[in-house]
Every structure is written in C-alpha cells, then in structure tokens.
Amino acid sequence: MISFLDLRKINALYAEELKEAAAKVIDSGWYLLGEQVKRFEANLASYIGADHAIGVGNGLDALRLILRGYIELGIMQEGDEVIVPANTYIATILAITDNGLKPVLVEPDSTTYNLDISLVERHLTSRTRAIMVVHLYGRVCWSEELTRLAEKHGLKIIEDNAQAIGAAWHGRKTGALGDAAGFSFYPGKNLGALGDSGAVTTNDQELAEVVRALGNYGSRVKYYNDFKGLNSRLDEIQAAFLDVKLKYIDAENQRRREIARYYNEHISSPGVVLPATDAETPFVDYQEHVWHLYVIRSSRRDALVRHLQDNGIQVLIHYPVPPHQQRAYQELGAQSLALTEALSREVLSLPVSPVMEDHEVREVCACINSFR
C-alpha cells in the first residue's frame, strides 16, 4: 500500500528531537503561555517575514480571531461582507459566519483553482470589508491586481495560509503578503503538530494585541477582561514540537516539489488534467507552490479512484461537497457556482509526501497511465 501521507514515518525522522522537546516541557512544569510558545512565535514570525505571530488553538480559530479582532477594532461589524473563494474548505466560511459576517462566494480560476481575482470587483458592495484569499493546495493566490483592488476599495486582505507555509510570491512568503494571515498546524499540514494548533501572523501591532487577548479569554492581564474572548491558546508541548519541525520545512517542501515535478512530467493518461505550472520558471525552483496537495482532475474520477485503490494506492478527494451545498449552509445553496461544483465532482488528490520513495512515485504514475 502506498500511503497518502504517512505521519508516523514523517515524525520518525525527528523522533529524538521531538522526544527531547517533550521531555523539556514536561520537566519544566510550565505548560501554557511559556517560553516554548514565545520561542516558536518568534521563529515563525522570522521565517514568514511578519512582525507578529500569535499561537492559537487551531487554524479555524486563527481566522475567527482575525475577523473578531477587526470587529473589536471597529473596522468591521456584524452584517459586513467578506469575499471568499467558493471552492475552499468549509473552515474558511465558518470563520466568517461565526462572527456574524456574510461570506460572498466567488468562483475559482479554472487553471489554478484559486480565487479568480478578475471576478472579485463585480461582487463588491457597500458592505464589503475584506477579501479572504486561500492559498489552496499550497499554491499562492496573489497578484498586483489584488492589491490594487484592495487599496481602491479600502479592503483588508486576509490570507488563509493553512495549506501553504513556505510558499512565496516574488520572494515574499505567504502569511506576510496581506494584512493578516491564519495558519493551521493540523498533523497533516506541511508543518504539522502532533495535535491541533494554529497561528496568526500580521504586521499590525494593534490587531496582534487584540488577537492575543481574544484568544486568552479577552484578557491582556490575568483576571482583567477587555473583550468577550475565548480560550484558543497554543500549548507549550505543541509549540516545542513545531519549533523542531520548522527547521525542516523548506527541505520537506522541496521534496514535495520534486515529486510534483515528476508527476507532471510522467503522467500522460488521456483525460487526466494535471496542475498548471509556471511555463517561464524552472519547475524545480518554482517557489509559489509548496504542494500540500497534488490535485488532478478527471471526468471519470470515481472509476480512477477505484483503479488506484485496487492497485494499493491511497488517494483522497478535497473536497467532495462545496460549502454552498452543505446542509449547514442551506442559505448559500441557491446560487449557481458551476465551476466549483464541477471541481467537487472531478478533483482527486494523489500522494505527495516528503517521505515518499522514488519507486512509489513511479508506481503512482504507471498506475494512472494504465487507466483505461
């Protein structure tokens, strides 16, 4: 069996360092809001190129707290609108509605599957306050057109960077491109904890202070509460684990690029649409994509899935039901989002893992090419 993502094998690479980090935390007797969190926050901010990094409980909370922070600062209020790609994972939408804001779903680009920036302006209203871009599958969603649009209309740009740590646009890393960014360190992410955790990055000191307080019961000083906050804090042991693994993220991302390059050069099955790449940049050096997922597209997806599984290759579908067709969001379902719906029926994620062996990568290609 070729595993989609062998977390045990990935973490085994750093097992001794992880065990040492855990032992230090256990022996310290300090398990929340301590030196490990401070160290990881500083190292993450430095790596991303942001002034501030705030550890939080998970990726959903990271986005929730950013929006809540803007509400507390008077930049947004309930009922305001946030532009968001229609084909994102539901957590992106949940962060918006949980704050009493309205998600405005915009179709993706047919080539990159990221937000189609050319469609954004027609969806703007007097209540639009932000554009939430999702660097989907690990590919950067950014352009000069996007920043001009935000400046023209006075909009915040919030990055959902859950899948793209280490990706860069013209030398600047995702997480430091917009006004604020949310990270997920769910175990299966490129930088994965051994449990749930997340972070917010921003260059806005006022927002950073409010987000930090909101995630700590709304408190800047213990027992004094400035906001009606929540409990969303990165704990010491996960921070220690993440700090170990952060040192290796670039090497792991580069291995993902090598695998994706091989897939692109060797998968030739008719009817299988491969991810688009930058024709002007050597693929191996293409920094705008960190390949959290390698997603192909086929009108015969279900048959292809069966073929791969029958040959011992584990694959996943991200995501089979788009947010506007979920029971939880029946109020969004009346709109027509043809491309988003087509992608949900046709996309398929192949194994792309830093611990995949070369022979496994070749086997995936051969299996797809034998599909009839």
Side-chain angles (χ1 to χ4, degrees):
M1 167 68 75
I2 297 177
S3 172
F4 183 80
L5 185 67
D6 191 335
L7 293 179
R8 181 181 297 182
K9 191 173 181 180
I10 290 172
N11 288 316
L13 296 172
Y14 321 118
E16 292 307 312
E17 288 183 82
L18 294 171
K19 290 173 184 177
E20 289 175 10
K24 286 180 181 178
V25 174
I26 293 168
D27 292 344
S28 75
W30 194 288
Y31 308 123
L32 285 170
L33 302 180
E35 291 304 315
Q36 297 294 338
V37 169
K38 290 178 183 176
R39 182 179 296 111
F40 174 66
E41 288 178 340
N43 288 337
L44 178 64
S46 176
Y47 176 77
I48 295 298
D51 292 342
H52 306 278
I54 305 99
V56 300
N58 53 70
L60 170 56
D61 279 359
L63 297 175
R64 290 170 66 203
L65 289 165
I66 291 168
L67 293 169
R68 176 70 180 280
Y70 282 133
I71 290 172
E72 295 292 352
L73 291 169
I75 293 168
M76 298 180 189
Q77 61 182 346
E78 289 192 15
D80 283 344
E81 298 173 355
V82 179
I83 298 290
V84 64
N87 62 320
T88 187
Y89 181 55
I90 200 169
T92 320
I93 312 297
L94 288 169
I96 297 169
T97 58
D98 190 59
N99 281 288
L101 302 169
K102 179 182 177 182
V104 177
L105 306 183
V106 176
E107 287 268 53
D109 179 272
S110 61
T111 301
T112 66
Y113 308 151
N114 273 331
L115 176 70
D116 189 337
I117 295 168
S118 70
L119 300 179
V120 169
E121 195 158 25
R122 71 184 68 174
H123 289 84
L124 300 181
T125 74
S126 61
R127 298 301 301 271
T128 309
R129 295 292 177 268
I131 303 170
M132 187 173 285
V133 297
V134 180
H135 304 301
L136 194 66
Y137 308 149
R139 182 192 293 274
V140 178
C141 179
W142 203 260
S143 71
E144 293 179 357
E145 178 188 357
L146 175 66
T147 56
R148 285 196 300 267
L149 192 63
E151 291 171 2
K152 176 182 175 181
H153 296 279
L155 306 175
K156 297 292 184 183
I157 304 179
I158 301 166
E159 300 173 73
D160 181 339
N161 201 39
Q163 299 184 357
I165 187 168
W169 185 79
H170 292 192
R172 296 167 56 206
K173 285 191 172 65
T174 56
L177 298 173
D179 295 285
F183 292 71
S184 169
F185 303 124
Y186 178 79
K189 301 300 187 191
N190 289 33
L191 178 62
L194 276 69
D196 261 331
S197 54
V200 171
T201 57
T202 183
N203 291 330
D204 185 333
Q205 182 173 341
E206 191 174 21
L207 177 66
E209 290 175 355
V210 172
V211 166
R212 188 177 296 280
L214 284 168
N216 188 36
Y217 299 99
S219 174
R220 292 186 173 98
V221 179
K222 194 170 184 178
Y223 300 129
Y224 293 85
N225 301 79
D226 297 323
F227 311 103
K228 297 174 183 176
L230 60 148
N231 177 10
S232 183
R233 300 175 297 198
L234 174 62
D235 64 67
E236 286 286 281
I237 202 160
Q238 295 301 338
F241 290 154
L242 288 165
D243 208 39
V244 168
K245 297 180 74 175
L246 182 61
K247 296 181 295 184
Y248 303 104
I249 187 64
D250 287 339
E252 289 197 2
N253 283 344
Q254 186 58 27
R255 176 55 178 161
R256 290 173 179 271
R257 291 188 182 104
E258 291 169 359
I259 294 168
R261 181 185 187 185
Y262 193 91
Y263 281 162
N264 269 55
E265 292 177 349
H266 292 86
I267 294 175
S268 57
S269 178
V272 172
V273 179
L274 303 180
T277 59
D278 188 336
E280 298 180 357
T281 305
F283 191 81
V284 70
D285 297 323
Y286 187 39
Q287 299 300 306
E288 292 192 17
H289 206 323
V290 293
W291 301 98
H292 172 61
L293 299 173
Y294 185 93
V295 178
I296 63 175
R297 187 177 175 187
S298 172
S299 60
R300 299 177 59 210
R301 181 184 67 190
D302 292 347
L304 179 55
V305 167
R306 288 192 297 272
H307 175 72
L308 289 162
Q309 291 176 339
D310 288 346
N311 284 276
I313 298 171
Q314 185 182 27
V315 294
L316 295 177
I317 296 171
H318 300 85
Y319 305 99
V321 183
H324 74 285
Q325 292 185 331
Q326 298 283 356
R327 182 179 178 185
Y329 282 113
Q330 294 180 57
E331 69 272 21
L332 299 177
Q335 55 197 305
S336 175
L337 295 163
L339 179 55
T340 293
E341 292 163 17
L343 290 174
S344 72
R345 296 189 300 268
E346 298 177 2
V347 294
L348 169 64
S349 300
L350 302 181
V352 55
S353 159
V355 294
M356 280 187 76
E357 303 288 345
D358 287 347
H359 72 88
E360 292 177 317
V361 180
R362 291 193 296 269
E363 186 175 336
V364 171
C365 294
C367 186
I368 293 176
N369 291 340
S370 70
F371 176 64
R372 296 292 182 266

